[in-house]
Amino acid sequence: MESPIYYTRAEYIETDTGNKVSRRATIAGPQNIILGGKTIISSGAIIRGDLRRTGPGHAVVISLGRYCLIGEGPPYKTYRGNFNYYPMKIGDHVHIGANTIVEAATIGNHVEIGKNCVIGKFTIIKDCAKIADGTIIPPNTVVPALSLFAGSPGRFVEDLPESTQEMVEALTKQYYTRFQPMSSER
């Protein structure tokens, strides 16, 4: 087994369902964000559940499944302009790399999204897909199951093996197990 990834206990809030949320993450509108359990939200990640769609009473609901990893967020970036945010569903065993911006409608189960990616509005990423580092997926794209997309704009590169589900599940569970408080704090 790979070596542990240590974190400072004081930096993370751990919920009853095993979610670990960095105190340095920006969680806006937490009442509109649902975490499935054993999800890690890293330092600097930004999750916006507070942005309205069409008026009062239409807050965004962001749902993340179990064993998700939201990587570190973009440092010191602010986004200007008018954004329309819609509900987003993220399945189980999803790994989103550091500095990635996601505005997808749906991300399936067992999905890997690399670092420094932009996932456009209304994108649908099916189960067991992989988005390579640095990929920009245009709005309204459908990424098929078991496919690798890369480039700018993101395009189909190759089919992934049937074993992708098991490999991604093992990866996310292993990462969660390795993510431990520093030994001096136990």
Side-chain angles (χ1 to χ4, degrees), residues 63-85:
S63 170
L64 286 90
R66 294 171 49 76
Y67 289 101
C68 290
L69 170 61
I70 310 299
E72 293 182 2
Y76 313 114
K77 278 191 186 172
T78 56
Y79 299 99
R80 296 169 188 261
N82 294 324
F83 291 98
N84 287 318
Y85 286 80

Side-chain angles (χ1 to χ4, degrees), residues 32-95:
N32 300 320
I33 298 169
I34 301 161
L35 302 179
K38 298 191 175 178
T39 286
I40 299 170
I41 298 177
S42 302
S43 174
I46 301 169
I47 300 179
R48 301 293 306 264
D50 63 331
L51 299 164
R52 303 227 177 252
R53 212 161 43 135
T54 55
H58 288 91
V60 171
V61 175
I62 298 174
S63 170
L64 286 90
R66 294 171 49 76
Y67 289 101
C68 290
L69 170 61
I70 310 299
E72 293 182 2
Y76 313 114
K77 278 191 186 172
T78 56
Y79 299 99
R80 296 169 188 261
N82 294 324
F83 291 98
N84 287 318
Y85 286 80
Y86 294 87
M88 180 188 308
K89 181 167 181 7
I90 299 175
D92 297 335
H93 303 283
V94 174
H95 184 166

Side-chain angles (χ1 to χ4, degrees), residues 20 49 63-64 91 102 123 127 133 135 138 145 160 162 165-166:
K20 297 177 184 183
S63 170
L64 286 90
V102 178
T123 295
D127 294 348
D133 290 350
T135 299
L160 296 173
E162 291 288 329
Q165 177 175 333
E166 291 80 17

Side-chain angles (χ1 to χ4, degrees), residues 2 6-7 13 47 52 57 65 72 74 76 110 119 131 158-159 162-163 168 174 177:
E2 294 184 48
Y6 291 113
Y7 67 91
I13 299 164
I47 300 179
R52 303 227 177 252
E72 293 182 2
Y76 313 114
H110 306 94
I119 309 300
I131 310 296
E158 66 182 7
D159 289 318
E162 291 288 329
S163 59
V168 174
Q174 184 181 62
T177 301

Side-chain angles (χ1 to χ4, degrees), residues 135-163:
T135 299
I136 298 176
I137 301 290
N140 304 307
T141 301
V142 176
V143 176
L146 292 167
S147 63
L148 171 63
F149 269 51
S152 175
R155 298 197 186 288
F156 175 82
V157 175
E158 66 182 7
D159 289 318
L160 296 173
E162 291 288 329
S163 59

